[in-house]
Amino acid sequence: GGTENTAVKMVLTSLSAIAAETATFPIDITKTRLQLLNQPQSRAPTNAFRVASGIYSSEGLLGLYKGLAPAILRHLFYTPIRIVTYENLRVVAPDNSVSGKAVAGGLSGVFAQVVASPADLVKVRMQADGRHVAKGLPPRYKGTFDALAKIIRVEGLKGLWTGVFPNVQRAFLVNMGELACYDQAKRFILRNQLCEDNIYAHTLASIMSGLSATTLSCPADVVKTRMMSQASDKDTKIFYRNSYDCLLKTVKLEGITALWKGFFPTWARLGPWQFVFWVSYEKLRYLSGLSSF
């Protein structure tokens, strides 16, 4: 049965995503803070370790998990949709055509991101909220649903899709890098008999897909974080008019390499995430009697 298989896959991808998200969330919050710190408007410690230990000392261990609920909520929409869509689109692509898989990966990402965008926005706002609290300001949002309600009240229903364009661009690039590369890398490893279809193959393929996804998505990620965080401060005048303006200003003020600012934290985030995700997902599929991805 195709439909129950899809339902099973939805559940398995969700479980794998929850595992991956929980394991790597502290890296994510560090990355978000790091990208916000490096803007011309602020001066503060700029290495990942300092930022992480700063969060830990000022907000405790739970500070490193601030916004985990909306992050998991987002993945419950985002990951099953993109993975299952990709598996269905991949069938249409001519066999072993990398470009076909790349487009299939990108489109799956776009579709999933549009659906999950509100949860993503709530996650970023709540992560930035930790900074308000650290400065001794009252938190803007009490929790996930309070944040949702406030954003709708202040910015309207369409406010939930703030930053959807930079997000969709990034989702296209990340999923093009991740899904197609994981798929190709695994096929390559198996075809050249470097190892069996086991945890070693899955680990190697997930590391390769992590690197390619990071290289492709880092510039879009820097722009996305800067755009989404500035929208939330009503009192400050808007520094970037749109994503394109943000891209140009960043390159002009900080040089082209600024677009890969946080390459290492981004990879330190995507790499382990994809490792935990793909290894869990392949294992769960095996245990459920499904064929390997």
Side-chain angles (χ1 to χ4, degrees):
T3 45
E4 76 232 34
N5 260 1
T6 300
V8 171
K9 284 173 188 168
M10 289 282 206
V11 172
L12 300 185
T13 40
S14 299
L15 290 173
S16 311
I18 290 172
E21 196 58 37
T22 308
T24 61
F25 194 78
I27 307 172
D28 187 46
I29 196 159
T30 302
K31 188 197 77 173
T32 302
R33 296 276 178 97
L34 202 63
Q35 284 175 332
L36 294 176
L37 286 177
N38 286 347
Q39 294 187 62
Q41 301 98 291
S42 65
R43 278 283 141 262
T46 50
N47 95 30
F49 187 71
R50 278 220 205 103
V51 172
S53 53
I55 296 173
Y56 180 71
S57 60
S58 68
E59 302 166 48
L61 188 61
L62 284 177
L64 290 170
Y65 280 97
K66 193 160 273 143
L68 179 64
I72 283 180
L73 189 69
R74 164 180 177 249
H75 270 291
L76 292 183
F77 290 105
Y78 178 63
T79 295
I81 292 172
R82 74 197 173 100
I83 304 285
V84 175
T85 306
Y86 176 72
E87 255 193 285
N88 292 328
L89 284 178
R90 175 172 72 173
V91 185
V92 189
D95 199 39
N96 292 327
S97 108
V98 182
S99 53
K101 283 178 178 169
V103 172
L107 292 176
S108 314
V110 167
F111 176 51
Q113 181 58 53
V114 171
V115 177
S117 212
D120 205 14
L121 180 73
V122 169
K123 182 189 91 164
V124 171
R125 294 279 176 96
M126 281 177 72
Q127 282 181 336
D129 220 13
R131 275 169 63 233
H132 278 253
V133 179
K135 286 182 200 153
L137 297 162
R140 288 176 301 183
Y141 311 115
K142 285 198 274 295
T144 312
F145 293 106
D146 180 51
L148 259 177
K150 277 206 176 102
I151 293 169
I152 294 172
R153 205 169 62 231
V154 177
E155 302 164 49
L157 207 55
K158 70 174 197 303
L160 289 175
W161 274 270
T162 301
V164 72
F165 291 112
N167 266 338
V168 158
Q169 289 157 0
R170 175 177 177 276
F172 185 88
L173 295 166
V174 167
N175 286 288
M176 185 165 97
E178 177 189 345
L179 298 173
C181 184
Y182 179 78
D183 200 352
Q184 281 304 104
K186 197 174 111 182
R187 297 279 171 282
F188 177 81
I189 290 164
L190 300 180
R191 224 182 12 252
N192 298 314
Q193 289 161 343
L194 301 179
C195 58
E196 296 290 292
D197 192 346
N198 57 17
I199 192 160
Y200 298 112
H202 305 155
T203 302
L204 265 174
S206 72
I207 290 169
M208 285 157 83
S209 89
L211 275 171
S212 68
T214 307
T215 308
L216 282 168
S217 72
C218 209
D221 201 27
V222 170
V223 169
K224 170 196 143 173
T225 305
R226 291 182 175 196
M227 290 294 295
M228 279 176 107
S229 71
Q230 73 159 0
S232 57
D233 301 326
K234 283 273 177 286
D235 38 311
T236 52
K237 67 177 185 7
I238 292 212
F239 188 66
Y240 310 113
R241 281 198 312 282
N242 51 35
S243 324
Y244 185 61
D245 180 48
C246 180
L247 189 75
L248 291 183
K249 276 203 176 109
T250 303
V251 172
K252 201 169 80 201
L253 293 173
E254 304 166 54
I256 189 91
T257 52
L259 294 177
W260 280 273
K261 198 168 250 177
F263 177 89
F264 189 70
T266 304
W267 179 69
R269 155 85 171 144
L270 273 177
W273 197 99
Q274 293 189 8
F275 166 68
V276 176
F277 174 78
W278 286 112
V279 171
S280 316
Y281 185 45
E282 294 275 21
K283 194 75 190 151
L284 288 168
R285 283 180 74 123
Y286 172 71
L287 296 172
S288 315
L290 292 170
S291 65
S292 126
F293 187 84

